[in-house]
Amino acid sequence: MRQDQATEINATGATVDVGEVTTRYLLYGLLPSWFVPGVADWVMHRRTRIEDTAGTKESLIHSLMMAEVGIPIALTLRYEVNPLLLTVQLGGAAVHEATALWDVRTAVDSDREVKPVEQHIHSFLESLPFGALASLMCLHADQVKSLLRGGRGDPDAWRLVPRRRPLSPGYLAGIGAAIGACVLLPYGEELLRCVRTARRKKAALRKQRKGR
């Protein structure tokens, strides 16, 4: 029996499609909840005045981390899970974790105070990708096995295959709007704020040198 077709009997005696329930949890629970710590982290950066400490460098690292998570998510929403997509997801999660360490080191080296609350927010941002990936791999255990075999015997293992059951346009539009409002808008504002502050500092430094 395929993992995504597995069922069980609940306490009332009704049949529950475990795969369907897990999929709904990922789509309507875990993914939307991801935006909450993301916005909270932006608030912490603003409170600690990132533009006056780590500045543009750390803000660009934040953009890099969003891409490392965002690209695998976008592909998963559009294409079937197979060895190729699992490789992208696993690679994105690993690189995101390494970049997160670089991010914290950059903040500390710049004397930006990373408060305990922000560190706790980071724990959610780092653990959620692994939680989502673990659930997805349980749903598609057959594709995990195919990946471990190098995709042998599967002609579609190493190409992007459109989802057999595409997600509704309304759902995709909602996720897109949430990404714009909770990711692109706040972190774009952060990067712009850092760039403007850096320019003002350079201009003030040039003016100071000319006045000597």
Side-chain angles (χ1 to χ4, degrees):
M1 178 182 293
R2 285 174 54 87
Q3 186 70 23
D4 57 0
Q5 295 174 334
T7 60
E8 65 177 21
I9 306 299
N10 66 13
T12 64
T15 300
V16 177
D17 188 325
V18 177
E20 183 69 21
V21 171
T22 305
T23 299
R24 288 184 177 277
Y25 159 71
L26 289 171
L27 292 175
Y28 299 101
L30 192 146
L31 182 54
S33 69
W34 216 325
F35 300 123
V36 177
V39 172
D41 199 36
W42 169 77
V43 171
M44 296 305 300
H45 301 160
R46 190 176 181 87
R47 286 184 177 179
T48 54
R49 300 191 63 82
I50 185 176
E51 67 272 20
D52 292 324
T53 51
T56 305
K57 180 180 179 180
E58 187 183 0
S59 186
L60 286 172
I61 293 175
H62 297 157
S63 297
L64 176 60
M65 286 193 291
M66 285 181 281
E68 292 163 353
V69 172
I71 291 174
I73 289 176
L75 292 175
T76 303
L77 293 176
R78 294 294 303 275
Y79 300 99
E80 288 290 331
V81 174
N82 62 7
L84 173 59
L85 193 49
L86 284 172
T87 300
V88 172
Q89 293 162 346
L90 288 166
V95 174
H96 178 267
E97 184 65 21
T99 309
L101 294 173
W102 180 27
D103 173 42
V104 174
R105 173 55 58 186
T106 300
V108 172
D109 289 346
S110 68
D111 293 327
R112 184 174 77 81
E113 183 182 6
V114 182
K115 298 183 178 181
V117 173
E118 183 177 345
Q119 295 176 27
H120 192 57
I121 292 170
H122 288 174
S123 69
F124 283 96
L125 291 172
E126 292 178 38
S127 62
L128 283 172
F130 289 102
L133 184 54
S135 298
L136 202 64
M137 292 175 74
C138 289
L139 277 174
H140 300 278
D142 56 331
Q143 296 303 319
V144 175
K145 293 178 181 178
S146 179
L147 173 62
L148 295 175
R149 294 194 303 266
R152 291 193 299 273
D154 184 357
D156 294 331
W158 300 107
R159 71 184 187 90
L160 292 174
V161 179
R163 292 177 65 98
R164 289 187 291 272
R165 295 173 57 190
L167 298 174
S168 70
Y171 176 81
L172 294 176
I175 289 296
I179 291 173
C182 301
V183 179
L184 298 180
L185 185 61
Y187 283 93
E189 183 274 337
E190 174 184 286
L191 181 57
L192 181 61
R193 179 161 31 95
C194 290
V195 170
R196 286 176 173 174
T197 300
R199 288 176 177 173
R200 285 198 298 268
K201 288 181 178 180
K202 287 182 180 180
L205 182 59
R206 286 196 298 267
K207 184 177 180 179
Q208 183 181 8
R209 288 175 176 174
K210 289 179 178 179
R212 289 180 179 176

